[in-house]
Every structure is written in structure tokens, then in C-alpha cells.
Amino acid sequence: MLTQTSDQDAKNKYAAARAAAQALPKKLFINNQFVDGKSGSKLPVVDPRTGETILEIEEGDTEDVDRAVHAASEAFNEGPWPKTAAQERGRMLYRLADLVEENAEELALLETLDVGKPLMEAKMMDIPGFVSFMRYYAGWADKLSGQTLKHVMPLLAYTLREPLGVCALIVPWNFPLGLLGMKLAPALAAGNTVVAKPAEQSMLTTLRLAQLFLEAGFPPGVFNVVTGLGPTVGAALVKHPLVDKVAFTGSTSVGKQILTDAASTMKHVTLECGGKCSLIVCADANIDEAVETAHQAAFVNSGQFCTAGSRLFVHEDIYDEFMAKSVKRAQSRYISLSSCCMAFVLHCSMQTAAKH
């Protein structure tokens, strides 16, 4: 049973999240500056709890992508970034991780407001995950080396690991900061520059991260953000001749299109495409434990998880009992604006999922 105190605590957190969102720069981030998009169009940020548009952010287009890519290319080829020692790159990544950790509460609130995920999961998974990626790859920055190889001929043979150049990072809406960190940390540790495209449904933490990049002291053009739609901004990044690498997480159909579009310029491509995970329940399983495992696997992150165990194969001998207990367990799960129930869970989060 929810108490008045827990309800009030949740409302306070919700208000804090709204205030943090309103305080963000609502623009593109190019060459260490927040700038307007050329088209003048705006993207709505919708509160998944109410369906209300709470603010609008600049919508980038192909011209904005070109500005951002050129900024990243210049930073890679001519700016201070290629002259930055590997140890210093690592130090900057550690600094960024520290700043994200210092602002973890605010970032978790923004992620929950934007995506509709449980606040507890944002605090336990998304933000710590980003910090862990940064610190792990910060340690790798000065350890990327080649090899000297023996050769059958009287020749010197060696390998040298070098950064690729401009990396386009295209991120989905369910784990905006966590999945960005997974791509961003190794790219920067290796000395690349980045243009990030967050999903148009979840842009807030990426823009807050851009502010932290400034505070961490990264040179202009190293990290750029272009908010916009996949068919315009995403496609323009994939096709741009100055983009050397594309890292994408999203649907299989879009992944196939990226492979096709990237082929014309011979880009390096990394794809993490969505799928379904199966949970197999054998006849000799502990049914109560299996029910709880299946329940958590299906409903983690409000069910918005590409590796959610939402496909069940249950042995026919225990099928009826398993299904009855599973239905009862699902019916016992409630969604609330309460701090007792993971702080504030935005109960219309599945509206976002329904759009996709």
C-alpha cells in the first residue's frame, strides 16, 4: 500500500526531472557549441506518463549533419585531438566518467522522464553502465599497440593500430546513455572523433552529456550531437563520405539498410540488431523459480529490452500450472508514481514501445 510520503517523494522527483529537462540546451551540439538547426524545425519531447509535449528540441537535417561531420573531420585531422597523448585521452575519459557519476541523480531522472523506464533501473543500470564503459576504455587508451612480426624475407614487418577517423554513433531509445557509452568510450579511447545521433524519442541525456564534455575539457569537434529523424539525420550520417565508421543499435530492417548504404563508401560498420530471447522451461524445473525468472526476464526495463526473455518454451507436462502461476504473477505487478515502486515509474511507458 502506498503512503502519502512515498507519493510525495515520487512527485518531487518527477518535478525535479521536469525542471532538469527545461534547463537543458535544446539545440544541436557542433564543434563545442550549442547551435540552431538550419531548417528551424523542432522535435517534441513527450512525457510518456501523460503524452504531453514538455519541450521542443532542434531537429537537424542533412545540412546540419554535414556541419557536424566536417567539424569532427577537422578535429580528427587538424585540431589538438590527434596530437593529444594517449595517456591524456585516458585522463579525459576518466574525468568524463567522474562528471557523469557526480551528476548521476539528475541523469537518471532525465532518462526516466524521457524513456519511461523505472528510475531504479536507470540508477542501477544505465548511468553506472556508462561510467563503467568510460573507465574501462580509459585504461585502454595508452595500451593500444601493434606488433613486430618475423618475416621469411630480410624485411621489417610490423602492425600499427591507428584510429579510423569520424565515427557516427546511432543509438536507440530504450537505453540512450548506456548504449551511447558502449560505442563512445572505445571510439574516443582510440583517438577517433564522433557524431552522435540519439533516437528522437530520447534525446535529453545525450544533450546533458554534451554539457559534461565541455566541462571535461574535450577539444572542439571531438564530440558532436545532431538530433533528428532516422531517415534524414541517420541516413545522411551513413552516406556521408567523411564518415569512416558507423555503429548502430536498432532494428534488423534498418541495420540491413545501413549495410547497403555504407557499402558505396566502404565504411566500417558495427551492428547490434534487435531480436528475441527464448526461455526454455523443462519438465523437472522448479516451477515457482521458473515463473519468477520468466517474469523478470520479460518485464525488465518495462519490457523495452531487445534481449528480454519474452519468448517462452514450456514443457507440456507443466504447461498449465506454469501458465496459471505466470498470469497470477503478472497481475500482481503494479505500476505507480510511487517511490515504493522504483521511485516514479511512468505508467504509459509502453506508449513509446507501441509506436515502434
Side-chain angles (χ1 to χ4, degrees):
M1 181 145 182
L2 304 181
T3 67
Q4 185 174 1
T5 301
S6 65
D7 281 343
Q8 188 58 51
D9 179 59
K11 291 174 182 177
N12 290 342
K13 291 181 184 296
Y14 179 61
R18 291 285 293 257
Q22 292 294 342
L24 287 174
K26 303 165 185 65
K27 301 184 178 186
L28 315 179
F29 185 69
I30 299 175
N31 217 27
N32 273 14
Q33 294 183 328
F34 288 99
V35 298
D36 293 330
K38 291 296 185 180
S39 70
S41 299
K42 310 291 182 183
L43 288 169
V45 174
V46 177
D47 182 343
R49 173 177 171 265
T50 63
E52 171 194 3
T53 297
I54 57 177
L55 54 88
E56 293 182 328
I57 291 173
E58 292 287 323
E59 179 180 351
D61 61 13
T62 55
E63 189 174 352
D64 299 310
V65 168
D66 191 57
R67 285 195 293 163
V69 171
H70 274 91
S73 181
E74 290 175 13
F76 179 77
N77 291 299
E78 303 170 14
W81 188 243
K83 303 179 184 70
T84 302
Q87 294 92 335
E88 178 63 11
R89 288 203 307 270
R91 187 199 66 78
M92 296 173 76
L93 288 174
Y94 279 125
R95 174 61 177 149
L96 182 63
D98 291 343
L99 287 169
V100 169
E101 196 167 57
E102 290 169 13
N103 293 274
E105 178 72 18
E106 177 193 359
L107 287 163
L109 288 170
L110 286 171
E111 205 79 300
T112 296
L113 174 67
D114 209 9
V115 181
K117 66 171 64 235
L119 180 59
M120 186 179 74
E121 291 178 12
K123 287 182 173 182
M124 294 180 63
M125 296 171 61
D126 299 62
I127 312 307
F130 182 94
V131 171
S132 294
F133 289 133
M134 287 297 143
R135 289 179 175 155
Y136 176 83
Y137 285 102
W140 269 106
D142 60 354
K143 300 174 184 65
L144 301 172
S145 59
Q147 293 178 305
T148 302
L149 307 171
K150 292 183 178 181
H151 199 283
V152 294
M153 302 292 288
L155 300 172
L156 173 64
Y158 65 93
T159 62
L160 177 65
R161 293 183 180 272
E162 295 182 307
L164 289 170
V166 178
C167 299
L169 312 183
I170 304 174
V171 181
W173 50 269
N174 55 342
F175 290 93
L177 198 60
L179 289 173
L180 177 60
M182 184 187 300
K183 305 177 193 320
L184 180 64
L188 295 180
N192 298 286
T193 57
V194 165
V195 180
K197 183 219 168 293
E200 61 268 23
Q201 301 86 7
S202 53
M203 303 172 281
L204 298 183
T205 50
T206 306
L207 293 174
R208 182 68 181 101
L209 182 65
Q211 292 181 308
L212 298 180
F213 261 88
L214 288 174
E215 192 173 343
F218 281 83
V222 172
F223 179 68
N224 307 273
V225 180
V226 181
T227 51
L229 302 177
T232 51
V233 172
L237 281 170
V238 173
K239 296 175 182 178
H240 200 289
L242 293 182
V243 170
D244 301 285
K245 159 86 178 188
V246 176
F248 167 81
T249 298
S251 70
T252 301
S253 60
V254 175
K256 290 179 179 178
Q257 186 63 50
I258 287 174
L259 281 176
T260 300
D261 292 343
S264 62
T265 49
M266 298 289 287
K267 286 179 173 58
H268 297 259
V269 177
T270 300
L271 302 177
E272 182 195 4
C273 296
K276 285 286 187 178
C277 291
S278 299
L279 188 66
I280 301 172
V281 185
C282 300
D284 60 349
N286 181 312
I287 294 180
D288 291 336
E289 288 184 5
V291 165
E292 185 61 25
T293 299
H295 179 83
Q296 296 301 335
F299 287 97
V300 66
N301 200 50
S302 301
Q304 302 170 34
F305 207 154
C306 62
T307 57
S310 53
R311 182 173 293 170
L312 286 171
F313 291 88
V314 182
H315 195 282
E316 60 183 357
D317 290 351
I318 61 170
Y319 178 84
D320 291 337
E321 181 182 0
F322 182 91
M323 286 300 297
K325 290 185 174 181
S326 292
V327 170
K328 184 177 180 180
R329 177 65 180 94
Q331 289 174 338
S332 72
R333 191 180 187 99
Y334 65 95
I335 301 173
S336 169
L337 187 68
S338 166
S339 59
C340 289
C341 185
M342 301 180 185
F344 66 102
V345 177
L346 305 183
H347 68 262
C348 293
S349 61
M350 293 311 293
Q351 291 179 0
T352 304
K355 296 177 183 177
H356 301 274

